[in-house]
Amino acid sequence: MLNFCTLFDSVYLSRGLAMYNSLSQHCQRFHLYIFAFNEKCYSVLQALQLENVTVISLSEFEDEELLRVKPARTRAEYCWTCSSSTILYVLNHYSVDHCTYLDSDLYFFSSPQVLLDEMGDNSVLITPHRYTRQYDQSKKTGIYCVQFVTFKNNQQGRTVLEWWRNACLEWCYARFEDGRFGDQKYLDDWPERFEGVYVSQNLGGGVAPWNMQQYEFERLESNVIGTELKTNKKFPVIFFHFHSFVFVTPDYFSPRPYYKRNETSIVLLFKPYVEEIKRIRSNYPAIQTSELYLHGWKYYKYLLELFVRRGLKEKKYIKLLHEN
């Protein structure tokens, strides 16, 4: 049994449900603990009665320490503050031997079981950003990405997890300061600071906009296979991290044009995600009213970047993304 937790509010409902559906497709036995970060999100999830899911409200989850720091943090900063606490909550309240935190904008293309197998007897699993050189922000945002982080329910795992929670309670902001950034830079020295921390070597665990330029992708039967250009090493894509995915209008979605991509990545990675988001939103129209779209100057800035700076190639990608 694989145990996961995630957190999101109503703005991320369709993305969170897309992640859950992809897990359901590729995992035979799993349980997902969803921390609903506002009342609308909680009520929608409760009504859906999703299989293999436990929905936890903010009133159940928040403790005195979290409530103490909450007023001084933005919405995003508070979510980052809480990531470690959601894992600890699951370990403390449910009889599980491990828990993996998932960002709600992940989408699985194959089972993550191989990542849990890879960590072996270690107690903590972390995944690198693997930045492409031109996008490398590791000095500011961290070597490792808080996207897929596993903790076993043992002394080693709890030692790291409780240290991380306490650090995030003390400081967790969306700025680089004194070697810290959000909840993420804290992970940089874990392999040296703690025993039992394993860094995943599987390239398929953490394909993302900031590293996909290093790979070519192809479909092999039901799998999406990546090939690392530098080594010619092949690997199944386990999950893609849809960071910077833009909801432009209720019917129009786009990857941010900041990161370079090609036609194959659009068709094999982005298009299935868009189709799943559209299917979810069609089945549950109420979700659309809770999600945020570009408006005002943000909308015109996006169009300028998209069509003026990127030109015809970007128009081609957008057409591929949305055509039936």
Side-chain angles (χ1 to χ4, degrees), residues 124 198 234 248:
V124 179
Y198 179 78
K234 293 184 179 295
V248 185

Side-chain angles (χ1 to χ4, degrees), residues 104-148:
S104 60
D105 53 0
L106 304 186
Y107 191 77
F108 289 86
F109 290 86
S110 61
S111 173
Q113 178 70 59
V114 293
L115 299 178
L116 278 295
D117 293 342
E118 181 190 3
M119 69 186 292
D121 294 330
N122 292 287
S123 297
V124 179
L125 174 73
I126 54 180
T127 55
H129 276 109
R130 300 189 180 97
Y131 283 115
T132 299
R133 180 178 296 179
Q134 69 198 84
Y135 304 123
D136 190 355
Q137 303 177 61
S138 53
K139 290 184 178 180
K140 177 182 177 182
T141 61
I143 300 168
Y144 308 105
C145 184
V146 179
Q147 57 183 351
F148 189 105

Side-chain angles (χ1 to χ4, degrees), residues 27 82 86 131 145 282:
C27 290
C82 291
T86 61
Y131 283 115
C145 184
S282 175

Side-chain angles (χ1 to χ4, degrees), residues 233-270:
K233 179 180 179 180
K234 293 184 179 295
F235 59 91
V237 175
I238 300 169
F239 66 83
F240 190 92
H241 190 161
F242 281 92
H243 172 80
S244 76
F245 193 77
V246 181
F247 286 40
V248 185
T249 73
D251 300 308
Y252 184 57
F253 314 96
S254 172
R256 280 197 184 277
Y258 173 71
Y259 297 107
K260 288 184 179 179
R261 57 244 185 231
N262 58 32
E263 183 174 328
T264 305
S265 64
I266 292 291
V267 171
L268 296 181
L269 297 172
F270 287 88

Side-chain angles (χ1 to χ4, degrees), residues 12 20 77 88 129 171 178 226 246 267 319:
Y12 268 72
Y20 161 76
E77 289 168 346
L88 188 60
H129 276 109
W171 191 98
D178 298 330
V246 181
V267 171
K319 183 179 179 181

Side-chain angles (χ1 to χ4, degrees), residues 198-261:
Y198 179 78
V199 178
S200 175
Q201 302 302 302
N202 193 317
L203 298 178
V207 183
W210 51 77
N211 62 38
M212 65 183 179
Q213 303 77 21
Q214 301 167 55
Y215 316 123
E216 288 183 346
F217 301 100
E218 61 183 328
R219 180 170 294 283
L220 186 60
E221 297 178 348
S222 61
N223 297 314
V224 177
I225 304 297
T227 301
E228 187 178 29
L229 298 174
K230 183 173 63 175
T231 64
N232 210 36
K233 179 180 179 180
K234 293 184 179 295
F235 59 91
V237 175
I238 300 169
F239 66 83
F240 190 92
H241 190 161
F242 281 92
H243 172 80
S244 76
F245 193 77
V246 181
F247 286 40
V248 185
T249 73
D251 300 308
Y252 184 57
F253 314 96
S254 172
R256 280 197 184 277
Y258 173 71
Y259 297 107
K260 288 184 179 179
R261 57 244 185 231

